[in-house]
Amino acid sequence: MQTDLKQLEISETALQTLTGVPRTLSRSSNARSQEDRKLLKFTIVAASIAALIALLSSLCYFVPNFRIPAAVFAFCLLFGASCLAMEMAELALIGFAFALAAGAYAIYTLTAVSLQIVLLSVAIAGAMALGVAVLIQVIPLGFSKNRNYGNPKPSRSLARLYGEVDKYNKVIRDIHVFDQLEAAGNPIRLHDRESVLSALKITHGDLVRALKTEKILRENPDFNPEQFAIDLNAFHAIQVSEQAGEYGQFFDTTMQIAIAVQKTMRDLQKHP
């Protein structure tokens, strides 16, 4: 890679120096965030199923006439769901239709049941759902806390900045490929190259400043910043034709990175 591009690139070593957080830790933190979202969805589904089973079971125990329609409802619902999973739409519709009829009849059998029994069954179902949700959440979180004890937790702002750094470095790599194509004899005009490099230098400074700012605020959580701003006027002062030049797309991408960094800096002000 040419010297001018190499100097602009933000290496992994430089990133760790600027942030004080290993890149691998940030990636594992993002992976854990995705796992947490999956765990939440699983918790909701599991708690709902547990509540339904507990509700049906308690009603069957208190109301003998409810047992047969409840069993038919559960069987037809399971049958319809299985057919739907196997893409057997006709059989799935039949199963759901029978489940709907059985459910309606099951509700009809409850019209003669006292309100106390219904409320008791609902309370049992709620307690079962809450217990399942607590078990699903507490046990994995306990292992997670023990596994990550003592490790700093990268912020969302840092994760976004890492993404912008990746985009920024890709622009530099693309320009290097562009230079190689030109050196190979391809008819490429280079009159916009210096303008793009000027924009990249501005973005490099903004990224470094944003990374340092995030680290300082992360290490000083009690500090409340009043104002952050990144002046984009310097970009507009660079005379570049975004449509005519081959480097126009690189310049546009660099502008978008600068705007994203500016937004992240403002977010740091609100949520350090």
Side-chain angles (χ1 to χ4, degrees), residues 7-59:
Q7 292 175 345
L8 289 174
E9 187 179 20
I10 301 177
S11 66
E12 293 294 326
T13 302
L15 268 180
Q16 183 167 345
T17 301
L18 290 169
T19 63
V21 178
R23 181 68 176 269
T24 54
L25 179 59
S26 177
R27 289 171 177 169
S28 63
S29 175
N30 292 335
R32 286 196 300 273
S33 297
Q34 295 179 355
E35 291 176 358
D36 291 341
R37 288 192 291 270
K38 292 180 181 178
L39 180 61
L40 178 60
K41 294 179 181 178
F42 176 76
T43 302
I44 294 173
V45 173
S48 300
I49 294 175
L52 179 61
I53 294 175
L55 180 62
L56 294 177
S57 300
S58 59
L59 288 174

Side-chain angles (χ1 to χ4, degrees), residues 68-86:
I68 294 178
V72 174
F73 169 77
F75 174 79
C76 292
L77 188 64
L78 179 61
F79 175 78
S82 301
C83 292
L84 187 63
M86 293 185 291

Side-chain angles (χ1 to χ4, degrees), residues 115-130:
L115 181 61
Q116 289 81 358
I117 292 179
V118 175
L119 293 178
L120 178 60
S121 300
V122 172
I124 293 173
M128 179 66 72
L130 181 61

